Amino acid sequence: MKFTRSNSLKGTVTVPGDKSISHRSIMFGALAEGTTRVTNFLQGADCLSTIDCFRKLGIQIENRSNEILIHGKGLHGLQAPASLLDVGNSGTTTRLISGILAGQQFTSELNGDASIQSRPMKRIMDPLSLMGAKIRSIRDNGCAPLHIQGAPLHGIHYHSKVASAQVKSCILLAGLYADSPTSVTEPYLSRNHSEIMLKHFGASVTSEDTTATILPDPKLTAQEIKVPGDISSAAYFIAAALMVPGSEILIKNVGINPTRDGILRVCQDMGADITILNEDRTSGEPTADLLIRYSELHGTTVEGAVIPTLIDELPVVAALACFARGTTIIKDAQELKVKESNRIDVMVRNLSAMGAKITATDDGMIIEGGYPLCGAVIDSKLDHRIAMTFAITALASDGETEIIGADCVQISYPNFYSDLAALTDTV
Ligand code: S3P
């Protein structure tokens, strides 16, 4: 798919539902008693993988055009799957479902695509094993496919080396099936959607600083969940409007949970004109409309506690930094290497091909901004966030940019290209 420079971005866009929250709505709805109704669910391939897995575990899920109905069977209502659980490209499905499967009275196996088969699962296998789980990597390489034989679980207090909501959520979900409280302490606070939504469903979850604690065996009750728009999807439009002179756009109904809003803070640090309007709250999650006006940016340093709050937006921050005056340093972000692709490697390679002054470091990237970018052939490595990042970078670059594997956006934003086209005025 090919992209060229745009005159400016103008207009209003509503981004699809949040991916993390959509996954959790299916999982927790399945474990609750009664029918959970979810609106603004993200119909992306990753969330459809979660639906597919829970159907195989015996949960009836109706996917209607404007709502999802999950006929939950309670904490102990899942059934042994008749076949392998296919998690597709989804790390969230893999890691969260593993926590649930560890406490069942049956055995299951799960696997996904080539990317999933190379992503680290030891980070969940270690704490689950400490809880008494019988989980193993079938090829003994610390990755999927995974074999999980349900077992009685014990509560633990786990100190995670990584700030990862997938690891934290996996352990908390296993904690639902444990014989005593379970807590997880992480180096920095990661997204807290599991804690918020589990409480909504009736679980006893407490959070203090970077520690979350869950009590076992709650009665979870079906809920109405309205999924806020995904700030990770909004990030592409935010960055595009900040890159292309003359732009002014309004992004409606975006989730601005403080554990996810790092992109707003970092853009503002770089000098971005972002106005937060109509603040509201849906299903325990804060939301707002975002008004973005083109701004002249300067470099910044992105590090430490902010990193988990914008981990999926770091590719777009790297691209944005090319248009900012001075140096931008991204550090403490080694996690980028184990996402859907090695995002340090892929960003440095592709931005360099466009003429950027960018260097990879062990835990991030250093970008010298202010050098004009020129179109190139971009290999997305089938990573949705890479494809979207370069689609918008092309709008502020000379010549033509061709993205290989551009269709991978269906993982998190199936209508991305048409929504982007509706905002752009191509030169
Ligand atoms: C997610 C957590 C993050 C994020 C991913 C979604 C979640 O992963 O990158 O896209 O829904 O919990 P990590 O937990 O590996 O940081």
Side-chain angles (χ1 to χ4, degrees):
M1 202 163 177
K2 293 179 176 165
F3 300 85
T4 54
R5 187 180 282 285
S6 162
N7 264 333
S8 62
L9 283 87
K10 297 265 185 216
T12 300
V13 62
T14 305
V15 290
D18 186 275
K19 182 155 79 69
S20 294
I21 297 174
S22 295
H23 280 299
R24 286 157 173 81
S25 70
I26 299 295
M27 296 185 181
F28 306 167
L31 302 181
E33 285 170 30
T35 300
T36 286
R37 178 169 171 270
V38 186
T39 51
N40 202 34
F41 180 83
L42 171 64
Q43 296 283 352
D46 268 10
C47 299
L48 297 179
S49 294
T50 292
I51 291 186
D52 182 57
C53 289
F54 278 86
R55 283 183 175 150
K56 284 190 178 149
L57 291 165
I59 302 298
Q60 192 201 338
I61 301 173
E62 296 176 66
N63 190 349
R64 301 183 176 168
S65 58
N66 57 352
E67 64 178 10
I68 306 268
L69 298 179
I70 306 145
H71 300 283
K73 291 189 179 171
L75 214 49
H76 303 281
L78 299 180
Q79 287 163 14
S83 56
L84 181 103
L85 300 173
D86 183 0
V87 298
N89 187 245
S90 174
T92 307
T93 312
T94 312
R95 297 198 176 109
L96 271 60
I97 209 171
S98 295
I100 296 171
L101 295 174
Q104 304 302 313
Q105 293 191 341
F106 53 77
T107 297
S108 30
E109 284 189 4
L110 56 84
N111 201 4
D113 66 9
S115 157
I116 276 293
Q117 289 179 38
S118 67
R119 295 183 66 184
M121 294 301 150
K122 198 167 142 28
R123 56 180 59 196
I124 57 160
M125 291 164 59
D126 285 350
L128 289 177
S129 300
L130 286 173
M131 295 177 80
K134 295 192 173 139
I135 176 168
R136 63 184 170 83
S137 156
I138 290 173
R139 295 189 192 127
D140 208 15
N141 62 356
C143 301
L146 299 176
H147 179 278
I148 304 172
Q149 186 185 335
L153 301 181
H154 318 292
I156 56 169
H157 185 169
Y158 193 68
H159 287 265
S160 176
K161 279 196 233 106
V162 282
S164 159
Q166 294 180 359
V167 170
K168 172 174 64 177
S169 305
C170 167
I171 299 168
L172 293 177
L173 288 168
L176 294 171
Y177 297 94
D179 57 5
S180 57
T182 296
S183 41
V184 186
T185 300
E186 37 185 4
Y188 297 116
L189 186 63
S190 65
R191 64 191 67 189
N192 62 1
H193 306 305
S194 292
E195 296 92 305
I196 291 173
M197 201 189 290
L198 279 167
K199 264 194 257 181
H200 221 64
F201 275 93
S204 169
V205 186
T206 49
S207 303
E208 213 187 317
D209 299 327
T210 64
T211 300
T213 303
I214 194 161
L215 302 187
D217 208 24
K219 179 171 153 42
L220 302 181
T221 309
Q223 297 297 319
E224 293 267 326
I225 304 284
K226 196 169 152 207
V227 180
D230 197 326
I231 193 168
S232 298
S233 298
Y236 304 103
F237 301 129
I238 296 171
L242 294 174
M243 284 176 186
V244 179
S247 298
E248 178 169 329
I249 61 167
L250 181 67
I251 313 175
K252 304 274 285 179
N253 182 37
V254 182
I256 54 159
N257 180 317
T259 63
R260 290 287 298 283
D261 71 350
I263 184 68
L264 303 181
R265 287 182 273 140
V266 165
C267 287
Q268 282 166 337
D269 276 355
M270 295 174 84
D273 181 349
I274 298 179
T275 311
I276 298 175
L277 302 163
N278 302 323
E279 287 193 55
D280 203 348
R281 193 166 277 274
T282 108
S283 308
E285 293 279 351
T287 62
D289 298 337
L290 305 176
L291 177 64
I292 319 293
R293 294 195 188 92
Y294 170 76
S295 315
E296 288 191 8
L297 303 181
H298 50 81
T300 188
T301 297
V302 189
E303 63 182 331
V306 79
I307 293 290
T309 72
L310 83 167
I311 187 72
D312 292 338
E313 289 68 76
L314 287 171
V316 96
V317 169
L320 198 54
C322 297
F323 297 87
R325 200 167 15 89
T327 308
T328 295
I329 301 172
I330 299 173
K331 53 184 180 184
D332 303 324
Q334 31 310 57
E335 278 296 298
L336 289 178
K337 295 180 183 170
V338 291
K339 294 295 177 186
E340 286 84 329
S341 68
N342 177 337
R343 288 181 177 161
I344 295 182
D345 196 55
V346 175
M347 284 309 298
V348 170
R349 219 181 271 253
N350 285 319
L351 280 175
S352 299
M354 294 181 80
K357 302 276 177 271
I358 177 167
T359 320
T361 61
D362 262 0
D363 63 349
M365 295 166 254
I366 300 175
I367 304 112
E368 290 295 335
Y371 295 88
L373 299 191
C374 188
V377 176
I378 302 298
D379 184 354
S380 69
K381 297 280 178 197
L382 300 182
D383 181 335
H384 54 131
R385 305 224 178 269
I386 300 298
M388 290 188 273
T389 296
F390 283 93
I392 60 117
T393 305
L395 304 180
S397 304
D398 291 331
E400 188 178 81
T401 298
E402 180 176 2
I403 300 180
I404 310 292
D407 284 352
C408 63
V409 303
Q410 40 89 24
I411 290 292
S412 65
Y413 197 161
N415 296 329
F416 175 71
Y417 297 118
S418 54
D419 285 356
L420 182 62
L423 292 173
T424 51
D425 171 8
T426 305
V427 176

